[in-house]
């Protein structure tokens, strides 16, 4: 059974929980994740002679897709996608990946992501979940090229609880919408895709993996001796 967004928000606020910004996981280098190769939800391109861009994809009246602002309108660039199509079996595994296609020169390589909001709609167009306010984040360096790298975000613990309560266990038909705004955008296009793959290891996880390999290697050498 699904609850309305207002009821769930009220319950969370009553319990002292508050919405927080989407949680930044870290940078992740990718390959082969350009337009048409992954489940891109939103693509932004700043107008000529402008260094700012903003736009969104969501559900409007009549349960129709609505694209706003500087969002590109190609089917492989900006479109609503269902959680089932994205292969998301658990909301805890939901990841939003931001790929900034900025120039390779050092002076123009950075970009600021001022806003990133995740909306989830029911099959009938009702807004079930909104990720709330976003803490602006500046990336001083990006990897040039579409689909070469990404900056990964996920729901924080409070958002995850809210989303799970709002969507319930049958959410395959629910649809993902995004809105974003950026400044210092001197290139583009900037893309956002959503994945439901296994969570990307965080730096602490990598450190533990390396430490484990070192210990294992030492044991193997001792046995050989």
């Amino acid at each position: 059974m699904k609850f309305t967004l207002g009821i769930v928000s009220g319950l969370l606020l009553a319990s002292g929980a508050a919405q927080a910004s989407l949680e930044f996981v870290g940078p992740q280098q990718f390959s082969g994740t350009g337009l048409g190769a992954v489940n891109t939800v939103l693509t932004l391109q700043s107008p000529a002679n402008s260094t700012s861009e903003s736009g969104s994809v969501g559900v409007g009246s009549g349960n129709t897709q609505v694209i706003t602002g500087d969002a590109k309108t190609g089917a492989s660039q900006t479109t609503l996608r269902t959680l089932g199509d994205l292969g998301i079996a658990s909301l805890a595994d939901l990841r939003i990946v931001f790929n900034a296609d900025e120039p390779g020169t050092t002076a123009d390589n950075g970009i600021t992501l001022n806003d990133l909001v995740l909306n989830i709609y029911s099959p009938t167009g009702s807004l079930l979940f909104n990720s709330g306010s976003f803490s602006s984040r500046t990336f001083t360096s990006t990897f040039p090229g579409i689909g070469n790298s990404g900056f990964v975000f996920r729901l924080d613990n409070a958002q995850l609880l809210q989303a799970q309560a709002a969507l319930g266990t049958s959410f395959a038909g629910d649809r993902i919408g995004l809105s974003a705004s950026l400044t210092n955008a001197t290139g583009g296009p900037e893309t956002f895709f959503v994945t439901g793959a296994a969570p990307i290891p965080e730096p602490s996880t990598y450190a533990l993996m390396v430490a484990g390999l070192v210990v294992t290697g030492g044991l193997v050498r001792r046995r050989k001796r």
Side-chain angles (χ1 to χ4, degrees):
M1 179 179 179
K2 298 188 178 184
F3 299 92
T4 64
L5 181 64
I7 293 174
V8 174
S9 298
L11 289 173
L12 287 175
L13 290 173
S15 64
Q19 286 184 327
S21 178
L22 285 168
E23 188 172 51
F24 179 56
V25 176
Q28 177 73 21
Q29 191 156 2
F30 296 92
S31 61
T33 56
L35 290 169
V38 291
N39 295 309
T40 303
V41 174
L42 179 64
T43 301
L44 300 177
Q45 178 76 62
S46 57
N49 302 318
S50 173
T51 59
S52 63
E53 54 194 30
S54 63
S56 67
V57 57
V59 176
S61 60
N63 196 19
T64 58
Q65 175 176 282
V66 176
I67 298 173
T68 68
D70 303 315
K72 307 292 282 184
T73 57
S76 64
Q77 298 171 316
T78 300
T79 189
L80 294 168
R81 298 183 186 275
T82 69
L83 289 162
D85 290 340
L86 296 168
I88 297 174
S90 170
L91 295 175
D93 293 341
L94 189 152
R95 298 291 184 270
I96 302 170
V97 184
F98 164 49
N99 178 210
D101 182 26
E102 291 299 288
T105 56
T106 302
D108 297 324
N109 196 234
I111 195 168
T112 298
L113 180 59
N114 295 306
D115 196 29
L116 177 61
V117 176
L118 167 70
N119 292 308
I120 303 179
Y121 302 89
S122 73
T124 59
S126 299
L127 179 61
L128 299 174
F129 173 78
N130 173 278
S131 62
S133 61
F134 180 79
S135 298
S136 176
R137 179 173 289 271
T138 296
F139 302 99
T140 57
S141 180
T142 58
F143 299 94
I146 298 175
N148 291 334
S149 68
F151 300 99
V152 184
F153 294 85
R154 66 184 174 192
L155 299 173
D156 67 15
N157 290 334
Q159 292 168 335
L160 180 59
L161 290 173
Q162 181 183 2
Q164 288 172 335
L167 273 63
T169 57
S170 301
F171 51 74
D174 295 339
R175 292 172 289 177
I176 292 283
L178 291 175
S179 65
S181 66
L182 304 103
T183 51
N184 194 31
T186 55
E190 271 66 59
T191 62
F192 298 83
F193 71 88
V194 177
T195 176
I200 299 168
E202 299 182 40
S204 59
T205 304
Y206 282 120
L208 288 173
M209 291 170 62
V210 171
L213 290 172
V214 170
V215 171
T216 302
L219 291 174
V220 170
R221 285 195 295 273
R222 288 182 182 179
R223 288 177 180 175
K224 287 183 177 179
R225 290 176 183 173

